[in-house]
Amino acid sequence: MTSAIAPEQLLHHRSFRLFWLASVASTIALQMQIVAVGWQVYQLTRSPFDLGIVGLVQFIPSLFLVFVVGHVADRHDRRQVARFSILVEAIAAGLLAAGSLGGWLTKEAIFAIVFVIGAGRAFSKPTMSAMLPTLMQPSLLPRAVAGSASATQVAIIIGPAIGGFLYVAGPSTVYITSCILFVLCSVLVSMIKVETPPVKRENATLKSVFAGIAYIRSKPAIFGAISLDLFAVLLGGATALLPVYAHDILHTNSVGLGLLRSAPAVGALSVAIFLARNPLRGRIGRTMFIAVGIFGLATIVFGLSQSFAVSLLALVVLGASDMISVVVRSTFVQLETPDEMRGRVSAVNSVFIGTSNQLGEFESGLTAAWFGAVPAVLIGGIGTLLVVALWIRLFPQLFQVDRLVDNTSKKSS
C-alpha cells in the first residue's frame, strides 16, 4: 500500500490526481450528454414519458450485467476494465454526434445509443469505485471519498452549464466534445498506478459470481445504507423532469436547463470540500438519515416553486444534503468490504444507485405522464420522508453507527 499522505496532499499524490482528473473528465462528458439528450428528446416528442424512458434504457444494462461486472472487476486489471468501458462510452457519444449531423437521430435511435452508454457505464462506474481504496491507506479513505465526490460535483456543475451553452451551436457540438473527454478519461485511467494483490483469475462459479449479494445480505447496516439511497432517490429524484420545469413552468431555455442541472452540484461540492477536510466523527448514521430527510423536503420545495431563483436554491440544498448521504454511505460500504470483494459489492451498489437514478427518472416520467410534473415531484418528496421514517425502524443498526474510521483500524491492524 502507498505511504502515508496528509489529507491536504491527496491531489499531490500522482495516482489519486490522475483518478480525480479522470473522474472530472468522464463526469463532465456524461453530464453534457444528459443535458443534450434530455433537451433533444423533449424537443422531438414533448413527452415527459419519453424522458423517463431515457433513464430506463440507461438502467437496464446495469441490472442485467451486475454479476458479470462485479466478477470482472475482481478478477481482472481494474484499470483496463475501466479504460475499455469508457472507450465504449466515447464511441456512443460519437454515434450521437454523427446522428445529429446526419439528421437520422430519431428518439428510437437515441434510446438505443443511450442503452450502449448504460452498458459502458455499468462496467466503468463500479470498477472505478473499487479502484479508489487501493490508492492510499484506509485511514485516508473518508477524505479520499469526499475528494473524489468533489471531482464529480465540480464536473456536474461545469458539465450541464457547458452542455447548455454548446447546445446553442447544435447537439452535435455537445456530443463531439463529450467524445473527446471520454477518450481523455480513458488515457488518464491507463496511467494510474495501482498497488494491489495479484489478480485472481480462477474460473467463475455461481458462488463467486453471487458473492456480492450474499455479503450485502449478511451485513444489515450495509444493506440498509444502500437500500436507503435506492428508495429515497428513486422517489425523490426530480432531475428527469428538469426539461419540463425549464420549458413549461420556469419558462427558460437550454441555458437555464443547464443551470438547473448544475444547481444540485453547487451544494454538493460545497459539502464535499468541507468533508474532505473535516470528516464526520460521530453519529454518522443519524446524520445520514437527517440528510436524506432534508433531501425530501428540498424536493417538495422545488416541486411547488414557480420561481427560477427559488428552484435553484432548492436544488442547491437538495444536492448538499444528498452529498452527506453519499459520502457516509460510500465510505462505510468500502471500509466494511474486503478488497477481494469490492468489485462485486461495488457492482451491486452501482445497480442500486443506478436504480435510484435511472429507474427513478423513469418513475418520475411515468408519474408525470399520469398526474402532471408538479404532483409527480411532490409525491416523490413525501415518499422520501416516509422511507426515512420506515428505514429508521427497519435498520436500527445503521441509525446507531457512530464512526467510520474505527472499522478501518480494526481491519488494517
Side-chain angles (χ1 to χ4, degrees), residues 16 19 31 52-53 85 88 102 173 199 205 267 279 291 350 354 362 374 395 408:
F16 183 76
F19 183 94
Q31 292 300 316
I53 292 295
S85 58
V88 169
T173 305
V199 175
T205 64
S350 181
F362 175 69
V374 174
F395 299 97
T408 304

Side-chain angles (χ1 to χ4, degrees), residues 16 27 36 141 217 270 276 280 344 381:
F16 183 76
T27 309
L141 186 59
R217 287 185 60 187
S270 301
L280 296 172
R344 282 163 287 182

Side-chain angles (χ1 to χ4, degrees), residues 144-333:
V145 169
S148 176
S150 71
T152 300
Q153 298 311 316
V154 166
I156 293 176
I157 293 171
I158 296 172
I162 295 175
F165 280 110
L166 290 181
Y167 196 94
V168 175
S172 60
T173 305
V174 181
Y175 299 136
I176 290 171
T177 307
S178 294
C179 180
I180 294 171
L181 287 171
F182 278 130
V183 172
L184 173 61
C185 174
S186 181
V187 172
L188 291 170
V189 168
S190 68
M191 296 168 62
I192 294 174
K193 302 296 183 184
V194 180
E195 298 180 19
T196 58
V199 175
K200 300 176 182 178
R201 297 186 181 275
E202 67 265 21
N203 294 330
T205 64
L206 284 178
K207 181 178 179 180
S208 69
V209 168
F210 289 95
I213 288 285
Y215 185 81
I216 290 172
R217 287 185 60 187
S218 71
K219 303 289 184 178
I222 292 180
F223 180 67
I226 294 175
S227 58
L228 175 65
D229 178 81
L230 164 66
F231 287 102
V233 180
L234 175 63
L235 293 170
T239 54
L241 301 179
L242 287 181
V244 180
Y245 267 80
H247 188 276
D248 297 339
I249 297 175
L250 302 176
H251 307 293
T252 186
N253 54 18
S254 63
V255 175
L257 173 60
L259 293 175
L260 289 171
R261 281 279 185 187
S262 299
V266 172
L269 176 61
S270 301
V271 169
I273 291 173
F274 177 81
L275 292 179
R277 298 192 63 85
N278 304 278
L280 296 172
R281 300 188 182 282
R283 298 184 176 182
I284 62 163
R286 180 179 302 181
T287 300
M288 183 173 66
F289 278 107
I290 293 173
V292 176
I294 294 173
F295 177 87
L297 291 173
T299 300
I300 294 172
V301 172
F302 173 77
L304 293 173
S305 171
Q306 296 184 2
S307 163
F308 188 79
V310 173
S311 297
L312 280 177
L313 180 60
L315 290 172
V316 168
V317 174
L318 182 149
S321 57
D322 185 50
M323 178 49 58
I324 296 174
S325 173
V326 166
V327 170
V328 172
R329 184 190 70 251
S330 299
T331 307
F332 179 70
V333 171

Side-chain angles (χ1 to χ4, degrees), residues 42 64 77 233 245 335:
Y42 195 63
F64 286 98
D77 187 335
V233 180
Y245 267 80
L335 292 180

